[in-house]
Amino acid sequence: MIRWIRQQLGFDPPLQSPTRTIYVSNHFPQFGHFVLQKFPDNRIISSKYTVWNFVPKNLFEQFRRIANFYFLVIFLVQLMIDTPTSPFTSGLPLFFVITVTAIKQGYEDWLRHKADNEVNNTPVYVIRSGRLVQTRSQNIRVGDIVKIEKDQTFPTDLVLLSTDRADGTCYVTTASLDGETNLKTHRAVPEIAKLQTVFQLDKLRAVITCHGPEPDLYRFVGRITIKSTQGEIVRPLGAENLLLKGASLKNTSQVFGVAVYTGMDAKIALNYKSKSQKRSSVEKSMNTFLIIFLEILVIEAVISTILKYSWCHESPYNERTIQEKNSSRILTAISDFLAFMVLYNYIIPISLYVTVEMQKFLGSFFIVWDLDLYHEDSGQRAQVNTSDLNEELGQVEYVLTDKTGTLTENEMKFRECSINGLKYKYINGSLVPEGVTGELSRDAFTDEEVMFLKAISLCHTVHISDLEETHRPKLRHAVADLSKVQYYAASPDEKALVEAARRIGVAFAGSDEKNVILNTFGKTERYKLLDVLEFDADRRRMSVIVETPEGKMVMFTKGAESSIIPLARTGAIAIMNAHVDELAMKGLRTLCIACKFLSKQEYQEIEAQLLAARTSLQQREQVVAEAFNFIEKDLHLLGITGIEDKLQDKVPETIEALKLSGIKVWVLTGDKQETAISVCLSSGHFHKNMNILELTNQKSDLECAEQLRRLNIRIKQDHVVQHGLVVDGISLAHALRGHEELFMEICKDCSAVLCCRMAPLQKAKVVRLLKTLPAKPITLAIGDGANDVSMILEANIGIGIMGKEGRQAVRNSDYAIARFCFLTKLMFVHGHFYYIRISHLVQYFFYKNVCFITPQFLYQFFCKFSQQDEKECHAEKVLFPTILEYNETLYDGAYLTLYNICFTSLPILMYSLFEQDVHPRILRSKPALYKEISKNEVLSLKRFLYWTLLGFCHAFIFFFGAYLLRGGEDASMMGNAQMFGNWAFGFLVFTIMFITVTLKLGVETHYWTWINHFVMWGSIIFYFVFSLIYGAALWPFLQLQSMYAVFSHLLSSASVWLGIIVIVITCLFPDVLRKVFWRHTRPTLAQRSQFLETNAGITCMESLCCYSGGETGCSPFRRVLDQIMGRCNSLRVNSTDLSVHPREKRTLSIPHVQEGFSDNGAIVHLAEILE
């Protein structure tokens, strides 16, 4: 019962069997025993909540936050014991925060429900009771036969039964799943492919046995048992037989498939499950600061409790009631302690989390809207998958990048090759031997060269698309006009090779399940396709077995040189092995081509072995891989191809900028070592004068350890020289077994690191190794392919490149961009701004709450911790005898409630969205500015303590300034014949405090917009308007109205206004003076860079009243202050300075130039501005 309830609330998923048995068309056996398995319906549920579990689940998630849980406890304490403040003062802010968050999350979930309903109610056709009936997608059951027509989307995961083609093939695009726009071929089991009518399919009796649901889109293991009068026929089922939900049918009129995974069991639904939560360093710091403030709160409550009992024998405390005499001292002390906890609880900023969430959510739109991150050629803009890590973009210390498709274009062009030991260049569609000018004629090709070109045209997964191929029912002839042919391939390498072979003269003209047609120099040749040994990342090769028109059986194999050359026994192996290194040094991607002739007996043995492996349900992948490895041996090496993948634009400049900012760049790639080194040299990752160290080809742990020690000694001896490290995957595996510390020490001493021949999991291990260093550096992983997903998920920040290797990296990333060069804008500008903004937001929140609650603590010393003395009570009763009751707090409850919610919320939110301390152009051009804020410098404990102490200092000035204005011990006259009572004193303190903390934010603001002005001055106006209305009448819905007429009487006094102005200036002037002093004597790099801004230069006093453009309102005062401080004329570029003649040269003096800035750089920027 408990498990059922938890499942209904969404906490426990239902248990599932590791395998499932599916009866096609739900024809269950009439005789014999079988276990009927239960499967979910076809409803897609991407929502998080239901009507039943929204309230408990949402409340549970929100109260997991320490601040929310703390205020809940405080609220409950206020309900249970007699506390100085009303429960509403804690309950209303908590209710507001919880309600706003719940509404936001509920609305987002409602949108998910709406999208789910659109998908679940899509009309589909299924075969039931011998008829084709229309139903909704959500009503599809496992075992139903579903009909899909051209251009429709598959409503669930289906095993293909038949198509309108006799060979049972269909074409599918999975662009919505992985972004690949090429057409993929899927095949039906031959024995069922001939069943193309509803009547025939309804009579089908078959059972599918397959593994349970799993998220891997490219893996499906199963078998189908077909029952007929002749007996049972068993056939294997693989990924080529599975049609995925979300994919679309193309170039095929209709298909029939049986549902195997429905609803949330579908592979696309399993891939939508949330990833592990990543937390930013700012969030961790925020939790640390919250604990510190909790400690301060407890200390204040303990001090107050002790002092109360230390003064309890003084009048009027010596007279206790009977109830007090009979109560336990321990319980009374605990009650008093909790009461003080409630009184001071506002030191914890409850609205901090809501403000931070809104800042992150709204701020993420600036990344999406940034036109500098928009790629015009592809029409793609930046994408934000999570806004929780915006500020982390400004704290990156390590960038780990893929090579192919990330640093390079992933647009492959065939450039060179080696055939039988002779090198050729591909020029204008012809193969030209090295050292020969002119083109080869068709008759000049040798048998080895023709065999090499045929291998390229036969061994691939390329699909052809043209009008003739689409409409012809059977492959009886080649495509008439090859110029109309368009090739589609999952791998850009294969497409480049097949297109190059077509231009040379050996063209791939079409294929079906059993035949492949080549047009060889104008002659049509038909090859019977016997078998395909699919590519996988472990073997790093693929093979096809064909029967030539002459009746010979040949296996063509293509793959990486490391997986082909060791298996080769004949051919010019030594020469072509050297050619591999030569091509790789030119930066070309290399592939080896080989072949093997088979006898009929050998092929029969291979066929039987493959059938047994493919029908195995236990460890099928391992068994199939062993069969492939057994078959692919004793090869004849035909040749080697060299494919160029050129660098993306501005890659060298981007890598150089990252290094100048103090970020270490690592390149992790699966390519060959020589190819990777060549790309690193051309991209600027390695420099020509850099000492390249190699940790490669290590055979054992001991050998690797010895090499590591030699490298470490060499680095120590050549400490002046820059070093670059090259590591291959095998050596890395040895280095990570017991030698991690030495390996990382060497890596930290190297300026650049290249890891080649890396498997996807090895990339993730490298990222994890960096993350677990004692310094806990922030890592950023960037890649574009499915092999980069593991390191993207492992890194603190994962960035996907919208490239040509699918969208899996984009789907699993935190951010997605179209080009590698966009990284500088994303990190140097957006990362800088987000980190500065949220750091100041967090510090300011704690500062203003210290200012808010410290006067409450100081007030207790004057009422001997009973919250009010008799003189003040009597003074207030004389002034307002009809409404005053015994008060127990300095502030009125309305002000306690609205301080964080209304009065001070909008200015800091707008500041955190629009603040720009340095112009974006300068941030991009001066990478050293990024280094200045690294290692969480702005939100360090030192700066946090400064803000906290500043809050305490300001609070003392508020309180004692108002106390002196009040007249000390006696409630003096305010100059308008009114007495200065308790509520007037509290209101005065609150008014001074509110104005000061609001203007303090203005002092910290560098970039003013009309929005900042509106919310800041509007908040002050709103405060006074609210106070006037709140105290202007006796509101019937308020039981206690202590503030009646306080505002009008208090602020009608000129001395009060003068006192407010003096106290506010007293608080802010030392802070402004400190900024002036440090800016003049020890300016930071950011402050010096402000002299280069295209708008008005921001100086020490302008932050109070400067505008976003043009001359500022404080410029005259600023110039006077500059003269007093003896400052050199600061560089200012505004409308008045642009009157200089374009040809006139101006000498500009920029004080305090330091590292990261150069006079030449300044002149270049100013020249751009002045032009």
Side-chain angles (χ1 to χ4, degrees), residues 373-412:
L373 302 180
Y374 174 75
H375 190 231
E376 189 173 356
D377 294 341
S378 60
Q380 294 171 327
R381 62 173 68 247
Q383 180 177 324
V384 178
N385 296 328
T386 175
S387 60
D388 294 336
L389 304 173
N390 292 343
E391 66 277 8
E392 207 78 338
L393 292 169
Q395 295 293 294
V396 176
E397 298 176 56
Y398 284 88
V399 169
L400 302 102
T401 174
D402 180 38
K403 180 183 72 66
T404 304
T406 304
L407 301 179
T408 61
E409 291 281 4
N410 204 12
E411 289 184 359
M412 309 302 177

Short mmCIF file of all heavy atoms in Angstrom, two decimals, residues 373-412:
data_model
loop_
_atom_site.label_atom_id
_atom_site.label_comp_id
_atom_site.label_asym_id
_atom_site.label_seq_id
_atom_site.Cartn_x
_atom_site.Cartn_y
_atom_site.Cartn_z
N LEU A 373 26.27 36.07 -30.64
CA LEU A 373 26.27 34.61 -30.53
C LEU A 373 25.34 33.96 -31.55
O LEU A 373 25.03 32.78 -31.44
CB LEU A 373 25.85 34.19 -29.11
CG LEU A 373 26.71 34.72 -27.97
CD1 LEU A 373 26.18 34.21 -26.64
CD2 LEU A 373 28.16 34.31 -28.15
N TYR A 374 24.91 34.74 -32.53
CA TYR A 374 24.02 34.23 -33.59
C TYR A 374 24.87 33.90 -34.81
O TYR A 374 25.66 34.73 -35.28
CB TYR A 374 22.97 35.27 -33.94
CG TYR A 374 22.09 34.90 -35.13
CD1 TYR A 374 21.10 33.94 -35.00
CD2 TYR A 374 22.28 35.50 -36.36
CE1 TYR A 374 20.30 33.60 -36.08
CE2 TYR A 374 21.49 35.17 -37.45
CZ TYR A 374 20.50 34.22 -37.30
OH TYR A 374 19.71 33.88 -38.37
N HIS A 375 24.72 32.68 -35.32
CA HIS A 375 25.46 32.26 -36.50
C HIS A 375 24.57 32.41 -37.72
O HIS A 375 23.58 31.68 -37.89
CB HIS A 375 25.90 30.80 -36.35
CG HIS A 375 26.86 30.35 -37.42
ND1 HIS A 375 26.69 29.21 -38.16
CD2 HIS A 375 28.00 30.93 -37.88
CE1 HIS A 375 27.67 29.08 -39.01
NE2 HIS A 375 28.48 30.11 -38.86
N GLU A 376 24.91 33.38 -38.54
CA GLU A 376 24.02 33.74 -39.64
C GLU A 376 23.93 32.65 -40.69
O GLU A 376 22.87 32.42 -41.27
CB GLU A 376 24.53 35.04 -40.28
CG GLU A 376 23.57 35.64 -41.29
CD GLU A 376 24.01 36.99 -41.78
OE1 GLU A 376 25.03 37.51 -41.27
OE2 GLU A 376 23.35 37.54 -42.67
N ASP A 377 25.04 31.95 -40.97
CA ASP A 377 25.03 30.93 -42.03
C ASP A 377 24.07 29.79 -41.72
O ASP A 377 23.36 29.30 -42.60
CB ASP A 377 26.45 30.38 -42.23
CG ASP A 377 27.41 31.44 -42.76
OD1 ASP A 377 26.91 32.46 -43.30
OD2 ASP A 377 28.63 31.27 -42.62
N SER A 378 24.04 29.36 -40.47
CA SER A 378 23.16 28.25 -40.10
C SER A 378 21.86 28.72 -39.47
O SER A 378 20.96 27.91 -39.25
CB SER A 378 23.89 27.33 -39.10
OG SER A 378 24.24 28.03 -37.93
N GLY A 379 21.77 30.02 -39.17
CA GLY A 379 20.55 30.54 -38.54
C GLY A 379 20.36 30.07 -37.12
O GLY A 379 19.22 30.03 -36.63
N GLN A 380 21.44 29.73 -36.44
CA GLN A 380 21.34 29.20 -35.07
C GLN A 380 21.80 30.25 -34.07
O GLN A 380 22.82 30.92 -34.26
CB GLN A 380 22.21 27.95 -34.93
CG GLN A 380 21.72 26.77 -35.78
CD GLN A 380 22.71 25.63 -35.78
OE1 GLN A 380 23.91 25.85 -35.72
NE2 GLN A 380 22.21 24.42 -35.86
N ARG A 381 21.04 30.39 -33.00
CA ARG A 381 21.40 31.29 -31.92
C ARG A 381 21.78 30.47 -30.69
O ARG A 381 21.54 29.25 -30.65
CB ARG A 381 20.25 32.24 -31.59
CG ARG A 381 18.98 31.55 -31.12
CD ARG A 381 17.95 32.57 -30.65
NE ARG A 381 17.43 33.39 -31.73
CZ ARG A 381 17.66 34.68 -31.85
NH1 ARG A 381 18.40 35.29 -30.93
NH2 ARG A 381 17.16 35.37 -32.84
N ALA A 382 22.38 31.12 -29.73
CA ALA A 382 22.79 30.42 -28.52
C ALA A 382 21.58 29.84 -27.80
O ALA A 382 20.47 30.36 -27.88
CB ALA A 382 23.56 31.37 -27.60
N GLN A 383 21.83 28.77 -27.10
CA GLN A 383 20.76 28.05 -26.41
C GLN A 383 21.16 27.84 -24.96
O GLN A 383 22.30 27.46 -24.67
CB GLN A 383 20.53 26.70 -27.10
CG GLN A 383 19.45 25.83 -26.49
CD GLN A 383 19.25 24.55 -27.28
OE1 GLN A 383 19.36 24.54 -28.52
NE2 GLN A 383 19.01 23.46 -26.59
N VAL A 384 20.23 28.11 -24.05
CA VAL A 384 20.48 27.93 -22.61
C VAL A 384 19.60 26.79 -22.12
O VAL A 384 18.38 26.91 -22.10
CB VAL A 384 20.19 29.23 -21.83
CG1 VAL A 384 20.41 29.00 -20.34
CG2 VAL A 384 21.07 30.37 -22.33
N ASN A 385 20.23 25.69 -21.74
CA ASN A 385 19.48 24.55 -21.22
C ASN A 385 19.32 24.59 -19.70
O ASN A 385 18.44 23.95 -19.15
CB ASN A 385 20.17 23.24 -21.62
CG ASN A 385 20.16 23.05 -23.13
OD1 ASN A 385 19.23 23.48 -23.82
ND2 ASN A 385 21.20 22.43 -23.66
N THR A 386 20.19 25.32 -19.04
CA THR A 386 20.06 25.53 -17.61
C THR A 386 20.59 26.92 -17.27
O THR A 386 21.62 27.32 -17.80
CB THR A 386 20.83 24.48 -16.79
OG1 THR A 386 20.75 24.81 -15.39
CG2 THR A 386 22.29 24.42 -17.19
N SER A 387 19.87 27.64 -16.45
CA SER A 387 20.30 28.99 -16.06
C SER A 387 20.97 29.00 -14.70
O SER A 387 21.33 30.07 -14.20
CB SER A 387 19.09 29.93 -16.04
OG SER A 387 18.12 29.47 -15.11
N ASP A 388 21.17 27.84 -14.10
CA ASP A 388 21.75 27.77 -12.76
C ASP A 388 23.26 28.02 -12.76
O ASP A 388 23.85 28.20 -11.69
CB ASP A 388 21.49 26.40 -12.13
CG ASP A 388 20.01 26.17 -11.86
OD1 ASP A 388 19.28 27.17 -11.72
OD2 ASP A 388 19.58 25.01 -11.82
N LEU A 389 23.89 28.02 -13.94
CA LEU A 389 25.35 28.11 -13.99
C LEU A 389 25.82 29.36 -14.71
O LEU A 389 26.97 29.42 -15.16
CB LEU A 389 25.92 26.87 -14.69
CG LEU A 389 25.54 25.52 -14.09
CD1 LEU A 389 26.02 24.39 -14.97
CD2 LEU A 389 26.11 25.37 -12.69
N ASN A 390 24.95 30.37 -14.84
CA ASN A 390 25.34 31.57 -15.57
C ASN A 390 26.61 32.19 -15.01
O ASN A 390 27.54 32.53 -15.75
CB ASN A 390 24.21 32.60 -15.54
CG ASN A 390 23.00 32.15 -16.33
OD1 ASN A 390 23.08 31.24 -17.14
ND2 ASN A 390 21.87 32.77 -16.10
N GLU A 391 26.66 32.38 -13.70
CA GLU A 391 27.81 33.02 -13.08
C GLU A 391 29.05 32.15 -13.13
O GLU A 391 30.18 32.65 -13.06
CB GLU A 391 27.50 33.39 -11.63
CG GLU A 391 27.27 32.22 -10.70
CD GLU A 391 25.86 31.67 -10.72
OE1 GLU A 391 25.07 32.10 -11.58
OE2 GLU A 391 25.55 30.80 -9.90
N GLU A 392 28.86 30.83 -13.27
CA GLU A 392 30.02 29.92 -13.33
C GLU A 392 30.83 30.13 -14.60
O GLU A 392 32.01 29.77 -14.66
CB GLU A 392 29.52 28.47 -13.23
CG GLU A 392 30.52 27.51 -12.66
CD GLU A 392 30.61 27.59 -11.15
OE1 GLU A 392 30.26 28.62 -10.57
OE2 GLU A 392 31.05 26.62 -10.54
N LEU A 393 30.20 30.70 -15.63
CA LEU A 393 30.92 31.00 -16.86
C LEU A 393 32.04 32.01 -16.64
O LEU A 393 32.96 32.10 -17.47
CB LEU A 393 29.95 31.55 -17.92
CG LEU A 393 28.93 30.55 -18.47
CD1 LEU A 393 27.87 31.28 -19.28
CD2 LEU A 393 29.61 29.49 -19.32
N GLY A 394 31.98 32.76 -15.55
CA GLY A 394 33.03 33.72 -15.25
C GLY A 394 34.09 33.19 -14.31
O GLY A 394 34.95 33.96 -13.87
N GLN A 395 34.08 31.88 -14.02
CA GLN A 395 35.02 31.30 -13.06
C GLN A 395 35.80 30.12 -13.63
O GLN A 395 36.43 29.37 -12.86
CB GLN A 395 34.25 30.86 -11.82
CG GLN A 395 33.60 31.98 -11.04
CD GLN A 395 34.63 32.88 -10.42
OE1 GLN A 395 35.39 32.50 -9.54
NE2 GLN A 395 34.69 34.10 -10.92
N VAL A 396 35.79 29.93 -14.92
CA VAL A 396 36.39 28.74 -15.53
C VAL A 396 37.91 28.81 -15.43
O VAL A 396 38.53 29.85 -15.69
CB VAL A 396 35.95 28.61 -17.00
CG1 VAL A 396 36.65 27.43 -17.66
CG2 VAL A 396 34.44 28.46 -17.09
N GLU A 397 38.51 27.69 -15.05
CA GLU A 397 39.97 27.59 -14.97
C GLU A 397 40.53 26.60 -15.99
O GLU A 397 41.70 26.71 -16.36
CB GLU A 397 40.38 27.18 -13.56
CG GLU A 397 39.98 28.20 -12.49
CD GLU A 397 40.31 27.72 -11.11
OE1 GLU A 397 41.50 27.40 -10.86
OE2 GLU A 397 39.40 27.65 -10.26
N TYR A 398 39.74 25.64 -16.41
CA TYR A 398 40.17 24.66 -17.40
C TYR A 398 39.11 24.55 -18.49
O TYR A 398 37.92 24.39 -18.18
CB TYR A 398 40.39 23.28 -16.77
CG TYR A 398 41.67 23.16 -15.97
CD1 TYR A 398 41.70 23.48 -14.62
CD2 TYR A 398 42.85 22.71 -16.55
CE1 TYR A 398 42.86 23.37 -13.87
CE2 TYR A 398 44.02 22.59 -15.82
CZ TYR A 398 44.02 22.92 -14.48
OH TYR A 398 45.17 22.80 -13.76
N VAL A 399 39.53 24.62 -19.74
CA VAL A 399 38.65 24.38 -20.88
C VAL A 399 39.14 23.10 -21.56
O VAL A 399 40.30 23.01 -22.00
CB VAL A 399 38.67 25.55 -21.88
CG1 VAL A 399 37.96 25.16 -23.17
CG2 VAL A 399 37.99 26.77 -21.28
N LEU A 400 38.28 22.12 -21.64
CA LEU A 400 38.59 20.85 -22.29
C LEU A 400 37.74 20.75 -23.54
O LEU A 400 36.51 20.73 -23.47
CB LEU A 400 38.33 19.67 -21.35
CG LEU A 400 39.12 19.74 -20.03
CD1 LEU A 400 38.20 20.21 -18.90
CD2 LEU A 400 39.73 18.40 -19.68
N THR A 401 38.39 20.69 -24.69
CA THR A 401 37.67 20.79 -25.95
C THR A 401 37.94 19.59 -26.84
O THR A 401 39.05 19.03 -26.84
CB THR A 401 38.06 22.08 -26.69
OG1 THR A 401 37.46 22.09 -27.99
CG2 THR A 401 39.57 22.20 -26.86
N ASP A 402 36.93 19.20 -27.55
CA ASP A 402 37.08 18.22 -28.62
C ASP A 402 37.75 18.89 -29.81
O ASP A 402 37.86 20.12 -29.87
CB ASP A 402 35.69 17.69 -29.01
CG ASP A 402 35.75 16.67 -30.11
OD1 ASP A 402 36.68 15.85 -30.12
OD2 ASP A 402 34.87 16.70 -31.00
N LYS A 403 38.22 18.10 -30.75
CA LYS A 403 38.88 18.67 -31.92
C LYS A 403 37.95 18.69 -33.13
O LYS A 403 37.58 19.76 -33.63
CB LYS A 403 40.16 17.89 -32.26
CG LYS A 403 40.91 18.43 -33.48
CD LYS A 403 42.10 17.59 -33.80
CE LYS A 403 41.72 16.25 -34.39
NZ LYS A 403 41.08 16.39 -35.73
N THR A 404 37.56 17.52 -33.60
CA THR A 404 36.78 17.43 -34.81
C THR A 404 35.38 18.00 -34.61
O THR A 404 34.65 17.58 -33.72
CB THR A 404 36.67 15.97 -35.28
OG1 THR A 404 37.98 15.44 -35.42
CG2 THR A 404 35.92 15.88 -36.60
N GLY A 405 35.00 18.98 -35.42
CA GLY A 405 33.70 19.59 -35.33
C GLY A 405 33.60 20.68 -34.30
O GLY A 405 32.63 21.43 -34.28
N THR A 406 34.61 20.79 -33.43
CA THR A 406 34.63 21.83 -32.41
C THR A 406 35.68 22.88 -32.77
O THR A 406 35.36 24.06 -32.91
CB THR A 406 34.92 21.24 -31.03
OG1 THR A 406 33.95 20.22 -30.75
CG2 THR A 406 34.84 22.30 -29.95
N LEU A 407 36.92 22.44 -32.92
CA LEU A 407 37.95 23.34 -33.43
C LEU A 407 37.94 23.39 -34.96
O LEU A 407 38.35 24.40 -35.54
CB LEU A 407 39.33 22.89 -32.95
CG LEU A 407 39.54 22.83 -31.42
CD1 LEU A 407 40.95 22.35 -31.11
CD2 LEU A 407 39.29 24.18 -30.80
N THR A 408 37.48 22.33 -35.57
CA THR A 408 37.45 22.25 -37.03
C THR A 408 36.02 22.37 -37.55
O THR A 408 35.06 22.31 -36.79
CB THR A 408 38.08 20.93 -37.51
OG1 THR A 408 37.31 19.84 -37.00
CG2 THR A 408 39.51 20.82 -37.02
N GLU A 409 35.90 22.50 -38.87
CA GLU A 409 34.59 22.72 -39.48
C GLU A 409 33.76 21.44 -39.58
O GLU A 409 32.55 21.49 -39.72
CB GLU A 409 34.77 23.29 -40.90
CG GLU A 409 35.30 24.71 -40.94
CD GLU A 409 34.21 25.72 -40.65
OE1 GLU A 409 33.08 25.29 -40.35
OE2 GLU A 409 34.48 26.91 -40.71
N ASN A 410 34.42 20.29 -39.54
CA ASN A 410 33.76 19.01 -39.79
C ASN A 410 33.15 18.96 -41.18
O ASN A 410 32.15 18.30 -41.42
CB ASN A 410 32.68 18.74 -38.72
CG ASN A 410 32.39 17.25 -38.58
OD1 ASN A 410 33.14 16.42 -39.08
ND2 ASN A 410 31.32 16.92 -37.92
N GLU A 411 33.76 19.69 -42.10
CA GLU A 411 33.44 19.61 -43.52
C GLU A 411 34.61 18.93 -44.21
O GLU A 411 35.65 19.55 -44.45
CB GLU A 411 33.19 21.00 -44.10
CG GLU A 411 31.90 21.64 -43.64
CD GLU A 411 31.65 22.97 -44.32
OE1 GLU A 411 32.52 23.38 -45.14
OE2 GLU A 411 30.64 23.60 -44.03
N MET A 412 34.44 17.66 -44.50
CA MET A 412 35.55 16.85 -44.98
C MET A 412 35.74 17.01 -46.49
O MET A 412 34.77 17.03 -47.26
CB MET A 412 35.32 15.38 -44.64
CG MET A 412 34.97 15.14 -43.18
SD MET A 412 36.25 15.75 -42.07
CE MET A 412 35.52 15.40 -40.49
#
